[in-house]
Amino acid sequence: MKETSFYVHIPYCVKRCGYCDFNTYTPTELRDGGTLETVSGDYIDAVLRELEIAHTQSSGSVPTIFFGGGTPSLLKAKDLGRVISTIKEKWNVAPDCEITLEANPDSVDVAKLQEFKAAGFNRISFGMQSAVPHVLATLDRTHNPDNVERAVRAARTAGYESVSVDLIYGTPGESLDDWRTSVSAALSLGVDHISAYALIVETGTKLAAQIKRGDLTMPDDDLMADMYLLVDEMAQNAGMSWYELSNWSKPGHESRHNIAYWRNANWWGLGPGAHSHLDGVRWWNVKHPTAYKSALFAGNSIEQEREVLTEQQLKDEAIMLAIRMRDGISLNKLNKDQVSRISGYCQSGHLDQAQWSNGTLQLTAQGRLIADRIVRELVV
Ligand SMILES: C[S@@+](CC[C@H](N)C(=O)[O-])C[C@H]1O[C@@H](n2cnc3c(N)ncnc32)[C@H](O)[C@@H]1O
Ligand code: SF4
């Protein structure tokens, strides 16, 4: 029986960060004068309805569940626990199922983290972003750097097996030394996993407007590359290795949920705007939480659109995703033309020569900097 992972989208935040265009809403955006509790009140009931639909189309075992957002840690543990127990009732959830909670460092303490643990979570991912106050201020984050240390310590006290932090690099005004400070702060927390993402300027965000007005300037490509190489080197020195372009972990602490995405496995995304993929068919839900809830409560479809992937699309996607991973791509999965188009990158040091001789395409650190260009050579 095939496996299905679950992603559970929690579309609420206390305040929108200036750079973020994720499908998330503050109480004021959703209802004048409303509190988080009132706007999210029946949200989990709606998610449980979607789970009923999911159960008519998917069965088998569940290797991973990931609650992302938005800020899932804003909701009550007992509410998120209702989703976990329903999945456990209806599917065969492996005893070692990885169950991740995305958390804002401001929104948790030991007691709350213990409640989440009792609800079934065993992995936690904190949005740290930076340890440097002026960078956090430009990112428009609410937390101060000390809260991250407090939150990671609280997660350890609460007994989480795997703790991760997200970092962002390339914020306007961030120097290489600022970035070194942030990476070093993250590593000194003794976390098991780090994600480091280059800041993307998303259209329509406050950050995009600040850049357009000339109030902020994005760093140049050379600095971004130096920042990437620095986090890679520092993580390696701390006993972590990269397993995907933007992710480093101690052995055994790779995010199995994200690996499922990158291997194009089956997953069901619950919640507004969430994407799902089952056996080559992909679909996504209506975007707004109000539309999502009212459609489910009225018994109507929540599907926004769907697409059936062609053989060629599946092949191309498999290459695009696999190339991002340390495991790389077996050269015998590529045709002769593809191999000859990229062999030059081996001579130039962008592909690992020893792996290439063993029949595997694996990017070196320099190669990871130009991963998109190498993908374009393969997928034409
Ligand atoms: C959507 S957030 C959810 C976690 C939680 N709400 C938080 O921010 O702490 C997941 C991660 O996406 C990353 N992210 C969001 N917007 C981004 C952007 N424009 N560029 C790069 N990374 C971004 C951040 O690192 C963030 O931790
Ligand atoms: S980065 Fe996280 S906390 Fe900030 S608005 Fe986006 S989802 Fe919410």
Side-chain angles (χ1 to χ4, degrees):
M1 189 66 86
K2 261 206 137 156
E3 295 185 329
T4 306
S5 286
F6 279 99
Y7 170 77
V8 189
H9 189 62
I10 305 295
Y12 306 111
C13 287
V14 172
K15 172 181 176 284
R16 181 178 287 277
C17 307
Y19 59 89
C20 180
D21 84 335
F22 278 62
N23 189 29
T24 186
Y25 304 83
T26 62
T28 24
E29 279 168 345
L30 285 174
R31 189 188 292 170
D32 279 346
T35 63
L36 196 88
E37 219 148 295
T38 54
V39 297
S40 65
D42 49 1
Y43 181 67
I44 296 296
D45 296 333
V47 170
L48 297 186
R49 294 244 177 147
E50 189 183 353
L51 266 179
E52 282 169 26
I53 300 170
H55 196 231
T56 62
Q57 294 172 47
S58 132
S59 52
S61 57
V62 176
T64 66
I65 308 173
F66 190 105
F67 286 69
T71 313
S73 53
L74 289 175
L75 264 57
K76 291 200 176 76
K78 75 169 171 33
D79 280 330
L80 301 188
R82 285 161 66 205
V83 180
I84 297 175
S85 17
T86 307
I87 295 175
K88 284 185 173 168
E89 273 159 30
K90 293 182 191 284
W91 282 265
N92 172 22
V93 174
D96 67 341
C97 180
E98 174 190 279
I99 310 184
T100 304
L101 175 75
E102 254 183 1
N104 186 309
D106 282 342
S107 64
V108 291
D109 55 24
V110 177
K112 197 158 182 198
L113 288 171
Q114 279 167 338
E115 286 169 20
F116 284 125
K117 182 103 199 317
F121 290 97
N122 50 29
R123 181 172 185 274
I124 190 147
S125 170
F126 289 114
M128 173 175 180
Q129 321 309 353
S130 170
V132 177
H134 78 84
V135 176
L136 286 169
T138 305
L139 287 175
D140 205 18
R141 291 291 291 192
T142 55
H143 71 264
N144 80 46
D146 297 341
N147 283 357
V148 179
E149 192 186 340
R150 197 187 46 76
V152 169
R153 227 182 297 121
R156 292 301 189 200
T157 308
Y160 283 83
E161 291 152 34
S162 230
V163 180
S164 176
V165 290
D166 285 352
L167 294 172
I168 286 183
Y169 61 94
T171 299
E174 183 180 36
S175 67
L176 192 60
D177 276 340
D178 289 332
W179 177 236
R180 186 178 286 108
T181 302
S182 293
V183 178
S184 162
L187 294 171
S188 70
L189 297 171
V191 290
D192 309 293
H193 183 284
I194 286 187
S195 303
Y197 304 112
L199 179 64
I200 299 168
V201 182
E202 304 283 2
T203 319
T205 57
K206 180 175 162 190
L207 175 70
Q210 288 168 308
I211 288 171
K212 197 168 170 208
R213 280 200 306 268
D215 296 347
L216 295 173
T217 310
M218 282 301 278
D220 63 31
D221 289 349
D222 288 346
L223 178 55
M224 296 294 271
D226 287 346
M227 287 175 160
Y228 180 83
L229 296 174
L230 184 66
V231 63
D232 186 51
E233 185 192 325
M234 289 175 75
Q236 275 190 53
N237 291 341
M240 291 187 181
S241 51
W242 77 285
Y243 67 100
E244 193 272 346
L245 282 183
S246 308
N247 289 277
W248 292 260
S249 83
K250 290 182 182 163
H253 288 275
E254 297 82 3
S255 160
R256 287 197 278 130
H257 186 81
N258 285 338
I259 289 175
Y261 290 149
W262 299 318
R263 296 228 165 103
N264 230 346
N266 281 346
W267 77 86
W268 192 293
L270 299 155
H275 286 232
S276 301
H277 168 255
L278 286 186
D279 302 323
V281 181
R282 203 159 41 197
W283 70 93
W284 49 99
N285 291 343
V286 290
K287 194 171 173 204
H288 200 278
T290 310
Y292 170 82
K293 286 196 278 191
S294 40
L296 278 166
F297 294 141
N300 295 332
S301 167
I302 48 166
E303 196 175 298
Q304 178 74 48
E305 232 174 296
R306 84 167 32 212
E307 61 186 7
V308 179
L309 298 169
T310 63
E311 280 297 311
Q312 191 57 47
Q313 279 175 311
L314 284 167
K315 266 193 189 163
D316 289 351
E317 284 206 0
I319 289 176
M320 285 191 274
L321 294 166
I323 206 169
R324 301 177 61 88
M325 303 189 65
R326 187 189 175 93
D327 288 351
I329 304 173
S330 173
L331 291 177
N332 61 27
K333 293 221 171 104
L334 302 176
N335 62 37
K336 266 195 187 149
D337 279 353
Q338 288 173 313
V339 173
S340 78
R341 280 203 299 275
I342 55 163
S343 58
Y345 288 104
C346 194
Q347 281 115 45
S348 60
H350 295 99
L351 301 179
D352 187 280
Q353 297 197 351
Q355 293 287 344
W356 183 270
S357 310
N358 289 336
T360 303
L361 181 166
Q362 186 197 67
L363 299 173
T364 59
Q366 288 295 332
R368 281 178 262 150
L369 294 173
I370 58 157
D372 289 346
R373 199 202 305 173
I374 299 176
V375 166
R376 282 197 298 274
E377 301 277 6
L378 291 170
V379 178
V380 278

